Amino acid sequence: MRRTVLIDAPSNLGLRPPAPGTVPGCYKLAGALREQGLLRRLGALEGGVVVPPRYDLGEWKEGDGDFNAAALAAYTSRLATRIEGHVGSGDFPVVLGGDCSILLGAVLALRRLGRYGVAYLDGHGDFRHPGNTAVSGPVGAAAGEGVAQITGRGQADLTDLDGLGPYVRDEDVCVLGIRDADEDQEELTGLGISHAPVGEIRRRGPEAVAREVLTHFQRSHLDGFWIHLDADVLDPSVMPAVDSPDPGGLLTDELRSLLGPLAASPRCVGINVTIYDPDRDPEGTGAVLLAELLESVFAQP
């Protein structure tokens, strides 16, 4: 039986400041979930913390590319080394963010090991890159560029570390839970990047969608796949404590039903959890929800 290992990656380097002079509070995600007893509830081993660099925009201005890029690159390499060691040893990392840019560490680790896919559960397509700024706006916040960056679109100091970009092939990504009107869908379709918005998941059933993802990955002859879970895939009625609480998201039971078959697959090698912001959740209800969800899906028997 593989060992579950809990790793903290409390980086907020990829998000814009919520207000001038402040920093995004999602770096507190890991602490909030640990406070819910997640280590014990998952039956996990302690994987420690990969401490991020200081959040500092410095003299950055629009047009300079991604802010915090040098710090992000250094952090990605260190996080990748930690994750690579565990996956290479047969462990199952549960990585607590942080913002979505921590996925770069996971996919770089997996690219060092072979060919892996990503089930990208997120309320947004996260496909902003230098080639579509007319539609998606200027690049800058890496957390909104996740799918683009892991597939090699964006500045090379983040998308081609170790000369291994793209970390994931277009056909090896499945984007799940984006809002029905997400602006990235047309481009994703044109590139052959699989995606299923909320309406489609409801119409077909989350279990059926998950099984199709597994079949898709099986056909690609992957060494395995990783799950990226952004808390904003949930509807704000159940998870308002995120930076972009857009309506029309999945409900908790729908997300559980989508995650269940993916987590049960022996080819799933790990998961990262991102974007929940305890600063936006004074009662801590979001931490309770996420801890219960992760326990129900990933706890060791």
Side-chain angles (χ1 to χ4, degrees):
M1 180 183 297
R2 63 185 177 182
R3 306 176 303 174
T4 299
V5 179
L6 197 63
I7 301 171
D8 291 7
S11 171
N12 58 2
L13 296 171
L15 279 182
R16 294 181 183 274
T22 65
V23 300
C26 63
Y27 73 94
K28 299 178 182 179
L29 181 157
L33 294 191
R34 283 182 176 266
E35 196 170 50
Q36 294 297 318
L38 189 62
L39 185 73
R40 170 187 53 79
R41 292 166 70 168
L42 294 182
L45 299 177
E46 178 57 72
V49 183
V50 182
V51 179
R54 179 186 178 193
Y55 185 99
D56 183 5
L57 298 187
E59 300 299 316
W60 180 88
K61 59 185 182 300
E62 295 286 355
D64 289 345
D66 286 332
F67 52 75
N68 289 323
L72 270 167
Y75 188 69
T76 294
S77 293
R78 289 196 292 115
L79 180 58
T81 297
R82 180 76 62 90
I83 294 172
E84 179 187 6
H86 284 294
V87 174
S89 298
D91 297 338
F92 185 90
V94 175
V95 183
L96 304 177
D99 69 61
C100 296
S101 66
I102 68 167
L103 176 62
L104 286 169
V107 294
L108 176 59
L110 298 175
R111 180 67 182 86
R112 291 171 180 172
L113 294 168
R115 178 181 173 184
Y116 288 80
V118 173
Y120 198 91
L121 280 64
D122 198 298
H124 308 90
D126 290 350
F127 206 65
R128 185 174 61 244
H129 59 84
N132 67 7
T133 55
V135 174
S136 299
V139 299
E145 302 162 13
V147 177
Q149 289 188 335
I150 67 174
T151 56
R153 298 168 174 89
Q155 57 197 68
D157 56 351
L158 294 176
T159 63
D160 195 29
L161 291 166
D162 300 348
L164 291 175
Y167 311 127
V168 186
R169 304 183 191 190
D170 287 356
E171 63 267 29
D172 296 343
V173 180
C174 291
V175 180
L176 306 170
I178 56 177
R179 303 306 191 252
D180 290 349
D182 189 276
E183 63 187 11
D184 292 323
Q185 291 188 76
E186 182 177 355
E187 188 171 7
L188 294 175
T189 298
L191 292 167
I193 296 177
S194 175
H195 57 283
V198 171
E200 180 180 344
I201 293 172
R202 288 203 173 118
R203 183 171 63 254
R204 297 173 50 207
E207 297 93 342
V209 171
R211 288 193 298 269
E212 183 172 301
V213 170
L214 294 174
T215 299
H216 178 83
F217 285 155
Q218 183 70 34
R219 292 196 191 107
S220 298
H221 304 291
L222 302 174
D223 295 303
F225 69 91
W226 183 270
I227 298 173
H228 164 80
L229 174 59
D230 184 328
D232 72 17
V233 75
L234 287 163
D235 191 80
S237 64
V238 294
M239 177 56 72
V242 297
D243 65 304
S244 297
D246 297 324
L250 294 173
L251 299 178
T252 307
D253 286 344
E254 293 172 325
L255 178 56
R256 183 180 292 108
S257 296
L258 183 63
L259 269 176
L262 300 175
S265 170
R267 307 181 75 237
C268 181
V269 298
I271 182 173
N272 63 261
V273 185
T274 64
I275 291 299
Y276 166 64
D277 185 345
D279 284 348
R280 302 172 185 263
D281 185 24
E283 301 300 320
T285 55
V288 172
L289 184 157
L290 287 173
E292 290 178 348
L293 175 69
L294 293 170
E295 180 184 15
S296 69
V297 176
F298 292 99
Q300 294 282 3

Coordinates of all heavy atoms in Angstrom, one line a residue, residues 24-73:
P24 N -1.9 38.1 -0.7 CA -3.0 37.1 -0.7 C -2.9 36.2 0.5 O -1.8 35.7 0.8 CB -2.7 36.4 -2.1 CG -1.9 37.3 -2.9 CD -1.0 38.1 -2.0
G25 N -4.0 35.9 1.1 CA -4.0 35.1 2.3 C -4.1 33.6 2.1 O -4.1 32.8 3.0
C26 N -4.0 33.2 0.8 CA -4.1 31.7 0.5 C -2.9 31.0 1.1 O -2.9 29.7 1.2 CB -4.3 31.4 -1.0 SG -2.9 32.0 -2.0
Y27 N -1.8 31.7 1.4 CA -0.6 31.0 2.0 C -1.0 30.4 3.4 O -0.3 29.6 3.9 CB 0.5 32.0 2.2 CG 0.4 33.0 3.3 CD1 0.9 32.8 4.5 CD2 -0.2 34.2 3.0 CE1 0.8 33.7 5.6 CE2 -0.4 35.2 4.0 CZ 0.2 34.9 5.3 OH 0.0 35.9 6.3
K28 N -2.1 30.8 3.9 CA -2.6 30.2 5.2 C -3.4 28.9 5.0 O -3.9 28.3 6.0 CB -3.4 31.2 6.0 CG -2.7 32.5 6.3 CD -3.6 33.5 7.0 CE -2.8 34.8 7.3 NZ -3.7 35.8 8.0
L29 N -3.7 28.5 3.8 CA -4.5 27.3 3.5 C -4.0 26.1 4.2 O -4.7 25.4 4.9 CB -4.5 27.1 2.0 CG -5.3 25.9 1.4 CD1 -5.7 26.2 0.0 CD2 -4.6 24.6 1.5
A30 N -2.7 25.9 4.1 CA -2.1 24.6 4.7 C -2.3 24.6 6.2 O -2.7 23.6 6.8 CB -0.6 24.5 4.3
G31 N -2.0 25.7 6.8 CA -2.2 25.8 8.3 C -3.6 25.6 8.7 O -3.9 24.9 9.7
A32 N -4.6 26.2 7.9 CA -6.0 26.0 8.3 C -6.4 24.6 8.2 O -7.2 24.1 9.0 CB -6.8 26.9 7.4
L33 N -6.0 23.8 7.1 CA -6.4 22.4 7.0 C -5.7 21.6 8.0 O -6.2 20.6 8.5 CB -6.1 22.0 5.6 CG -6.9 22.6 4.5 CD1 -6.7 21.9 3.1 CD2 -8.4 22.7 4.8
R34 N -4.4 21.9 8.3 CA -3.8 21.1 9.4 C -4.4 21.3 10.7 O -4.5 20.4 11.6 CB -2.3 21.5 9.5 CG -1.5 20.8 8.3 CD 0.0 21.2 8.5 NE 0.8 20.5 7.5 CZ 1.4 19.4 7.7 NH1 1.3 18.7 8.8 NH2 2.2 18.8 6.7
E35 N -5.0 22.5 10.9 CA -5.7 22.8 12.2 C -6.9 21.9 12.3 O -7.4 21.7 13.4 CB -6.1 24.3 12.2 CG -6.5 24.8 13.6 CD -6.6 26.3 13.7 OE1 -7.2 26.8 12.8 OE2 -6.0 26.9 14.6
Q36 N -7.4 21.4 11.2 CA -8.6 20.5 11.1 C -8.2 19.1 11.4 O -9.0 18.2 11.2 CB -9.3 20.7 9.8 CG -10.0 22.0 9.6 CD -11.1 22.3 10.6 OE1 -11.9 21.4 10.9 NE2 -11.1 23.5 11.1
G37 N -6.9 18.8 11.7 CA -6.4 17.5 11.9 C -6.2 16.7 10.6 O -6.4 15.4 10.7
L38 N -5.9 17.3 9.5 CA -5.9 16.6 8.2 C -4.8 15.5 8.2 O -5.0 14.5 7.6 CB -5.6 17.6 7.1 CG -5.8 17.0 5.7 CD1 -7.2 16.5 5.4 CD2 -5.4 18.1 4.6
L39 N -3.7 15.8 8.8 CA -2.6 14.8 8.9 C -3.1 13.5 9.4 O -3.0 12.4 8.8 CB -1.4 15.3 9.7 CG -0.2 14.3 9.7 CD1 0.5 14.4 8.3 CD2 0.8 14.8 10.8
R40 N -3.8 13.5 10.6 CA -4.4 12.4 11.2 C -5.5 11.8 10.4 O -5.6 10.6 10.2 CB -4.9 12.7 12.6 CG -5.7 11.6 13.3 CD -6.3 12.1 14.6 NE -7.0 13.4 14.5 CZ -8.3 13.5 14.0 NH1 -8.9 12.3 13.7 NH2 -8.9 14.6 14.0
R41 N -6.4 12.6 9.9 CA -7.6 12.2 9.2 C -7.2 11.5 7.9 O -8.0 10.6 7.5 CB -8.5 13.4 8.9 CG -9.1 13.9 10.3 CD -9.7 15.3 10.1 NE -11.0 15.2 9.3 CZ -11.8 16.2 9.3 NH1 -11.6 17.4 9.9 NH2 -12.9 16.1 8.5
L42 N -6.1 11.8 7.3 CA -5.7 11.2 6.0 C -4.9 9.9 6.3 O -4.6 9.1 5.4 CB -4.9 12.1 5.1 CG -5.6 13.3 4.5 CD1 -4.7 14.1 3.6 CD2 -6.9 12.8 3.8
G43 N -4.4 9.8 7.6 CA -3.5 8.7 7.9 C -2.2 8.9 7.2 O -1.5 8.0 6.8
A44 N -1.8 10.2 7.1 CA -0.6 10.6 6.3 C 0.7 10.7 7.1 O 0.6 10.9 8.3 CB -0.9 11.9 5.6
L45 N 1.8 10.5 6.4 CA 3.1 10.8 7.0 C 3.4 12.3 6.8 O 2.9 13.0 5.9 CB 4.1 10.0 6.3 CG 4.0 8.5 6.3 CD1 5.1 7.8 5.5 CD2 4.0 8.0 7.8
E46 N 4.2 12.8 7.7 CA 4.6 14.2 7.7 C 5.7 14.4 6.6 O 6.7 13.8 6.6 CB 5.2 14.6 9.0 CG 5.7 16.1 9.1 CD 4.6 17.0 8.7 OE1 3.6 17.2 9.5 OE2 4.6 17.6 7.6
G47 N 5.3 15.3 5.6 CA 6.2 15.6 4.5 C 6.9 17.0 4.7 O 7.7 17.3 3.8
G48 N 6.5 17.7 5.7 CA 7.2 19.0 6.0 C 6.7 20.1 5.1 O 5.6 20.0 4.5
V49 N 7.4 21.2 5.2 CA 7.1 22.4 4.5 C 8.2 22.8 3.5 O 9.3 22.7 3.8 CB 6.9 23.6 5.5 CG1 6.4 24.9 4.8 CG2 5.9 23.2 6.6
V50 N 7.8 23.2 2.3 CA 8.7 23.9 1.4 C 8.4 25.4 1.5 O 7.4 25.9 1.0 CB 8.5 23.4 -0.1 CG1 9.5 24.0 -1.0 CG2 8.6 21.8 -0.1
V51 N 9.3 26.1 2.2 CA 9.1 27.5 2.5 C 9.3 28.4 1.3 O 10.3 28.3 0.6 CB 10.0 27.9 3.7 CG1 9.8 29.4 4.0 CG2 9.8 27.0 4.9
P52 N 8.3 29.2 1.0 CA 8.4 30.0 -0.2 C 9.2 31.3 0.0 O 9.4 31.7 1.2 CB 6.9 30.4 -0.5 CG 6.3 30.4 0.8 CD 7.0 29.3 1.6
P53 N 9.7 31.9 -1.0 CA 10.4 33.2 -0.9 C 9.4 34.3 -0.5 O 8.1 34.1 -0.6 CB 10.9 33.5 -2.3 CG 10.9 32.2 -3.0 CD 9.8 31.4 -2.4
R54 N 9.9 35.4 -0.1 CA 9.0 36.5 0.3 C 8.2 37.0 -0.9 O 8.7 37.1 -2.1 CB 9.9 37.7 0.8 CG 9.1 38.9 1.2 CD 10.1 40.0 1.6 NE 9.4 41.2 1.9 CZ 10.0 42.4 2.1 NH1 11.3 42.5 1.9 NH2 9.3 43.5 2.4
Y55 N 7.0 37.4 -0.7 CA 6.1 38.0 -1.7 C 6.5 39.5 -1.8 O 6.4 40.3 -0.9 CB 4.7 37.9 -1.3 CG 3.6 38.4 -2.3 CD1 3.0 37.5 -3.1 CD2 3.3 39.7 -2.4 CE1 2.0 37.9 -4.0 CE2 2.4 40.2 -3.3 CZ 1.8 39.2 -4.1 OH 0.8 39.7 -5.1
D56 N 7.0 39.8 -3.0 CA 7.5 41.2 -3.2 C 7.5 41.5 -4.7 O 8.3 41.1 -5.5 CB 9.0 41.3 -2.7 CG 9.5 42.7 -2.8 OD1 8.8 43.6 -3.1 OD2 10.7 42.9 -2.5
L57 N 6.5 42.4 -5.0 CA 6.4 42.8 -6.4 C 7.5 43.8 -6.9 O 7.7 43.9 -8.1 CB 5.0 43.5 -6.7 CG 3.8 42.6 -6.4 CD1 2.5 43.4 -6.8 CD2 3.9 41.3 -7.1
G58 N 8.2 44.4 -6.0 CA 9.3 45.2 -6.3 C 8.9 46.3 -7.2 O 7.9 47.0 -7.0
E59 N 9.6 46.5 -8.3 CA 9.3 47.5 -9.3 C 8.5 47.0 -10.5 O 8.4 47.6 -11.5 CB 10.6 48.1 -9.8 CG 11.5 48.8 -8.8 CD 10.8 49.9 -8.1 OE1 10.2 50.7 -8.8 OE2 10.9 50.0 -6.8
W60 N 7.9 45.8 -10.3 CA 7.2 45.2 -11.4 C 6.0 46.1 -11.9 O 5.4 46.8 -11.1 CB 6.6 43.9 -11.0 CG 5.8 43.2 -12.1 CD1 6.2 42.3 -13.0 CD2 4.4 43.4 -12.3 NE1 5.2 41.9 -13.9 CE2 4.1 42.5 -13.4 CE3 3.3 44.1 -11.7 CZ2 2.8 42.4 -14.0 CZ3 2.1 44.0 -12.3 CH2 1.8 43.2 -13.4
K61 N 5.8 46.1 -13.2 CA 4.7 46.9 -13.8 C 4.1 46.1 -15.0 O 4.8 45.1 -15.5 CB 5.1 48.3 -14.3 CG 6.2 48.2 -15.4 CD 6.7 49.6 -15.7 CE 7.8 49.6 -16.8 NZ 9.0 48.9 -16.4
E62 N 2.9 46.4 -15.3 CA 2.2 45.6 -16.4 C 3.1 45.7 -17.7 O 3.7 46.7 -18.0 CB 0.9 46.3 -16.8 CG -0.1 46.2 -15.7 CD -0.7 44.8 -15.5 OE1 -0.4 43.9 -16.3 OE2 -1.5 44.6 -14.6
G63 N 3.3 44.6 -18.3 CA 4.1 44.5 -19.5 C 5.5 43.8 -19.2 O 6.2 43.5 -20.1
D64 N 5.8 43.6 -17.9 CA 7.1 43.0 -17.5 C 7.0 41.5 -17.4 O 8.0 40.9 -17.0 CB 7.5 43.5 -16.1 CG 7.9 45.0 -16.2 OD1 8.2 45.5 -17.3 OD2 8.0 45.6 -15.1
G65 N 5.9 40.9 -17.9 CA 5.8 39.4 -17.8 C 5.2 39.1 -16.4 O 4.5 39.9 -15.8
D66 N 5.4 37.9 -15.9 CA 4.9 37.5 -14.6 C 5.7 38.1 -13.5 O 6.9 38.1 -13.5 CB 5.0 35.9 -14.5 CG 4.0 35.2 -15.3 OD1 2.9 35.8 -15.6 OD2 4.2 34.1 -15.8
F67 N 4.9 38.6 -12.5 CA 5.6 39.2 -11.3 C 6.1 38.0 -10.4 O 5.6 36.9 -10.5 CB 4.7 40.1 -10.5 CG 3.3 39.6 -10.2 CD1 3.1 38.7 -9.2 CD2 2.2 40.1 -10.9 CE1 1.9 38.2 -8.8 CE2 0.9 39.6 -10.5 CZ 0.8 38.7 -9.5
N68 N 7.0 38.3 -9.6 CA 7.7 37.3 -8.8 C 8.3 36.1 -9.5 O 8.4 35.0 -9.0 CB 6.6 36.7 -7.8 CG 6.2 37.7 -6.7 OD1 7.1 38.5 -6.2 ND2 5.0 37.6 -6.3
A69 N 8.6 36.3 -10.8 CA 9.0 35.2 -11.7 C 10.3 34.5 -11.2 O 10.3 33.3 -11.1 CB 9.2 35.7 -13.1
A70 N 11.3 35.3 -10.8 CA 12.5 34.7 -10.3 C 12.3 33.9 -9.0 O 12.8 32.7 -8.9 CB 13.6 35.7 -10.1
A71 N 11.5 34.4 -8.1 CA 11.1 33.7 -6.9 C 10.3 32.5 -7.2 O 10.5 31.4 -6.6 CB 10.4 34.6 -6.0
L72 N 9.4 32.6 -8.2 CA 8.6 31.4 -8.6 C 9.4 30.3 -9.2 O 9.2 29.1 -8.9 CB 7.5 31.9 -9.6 CG 6.2 32.3 -9.1 CD1 5.4 33.0 -10.2 CD2 5.4 31.2 -8.5
A73 N 10.4 30.7 -10.0 CA 11.2 29.7 -10.6 C 12.0 28.9 -9.6 O 12.2 27.7 -9.6 CB 12.1 30.3 -11.7

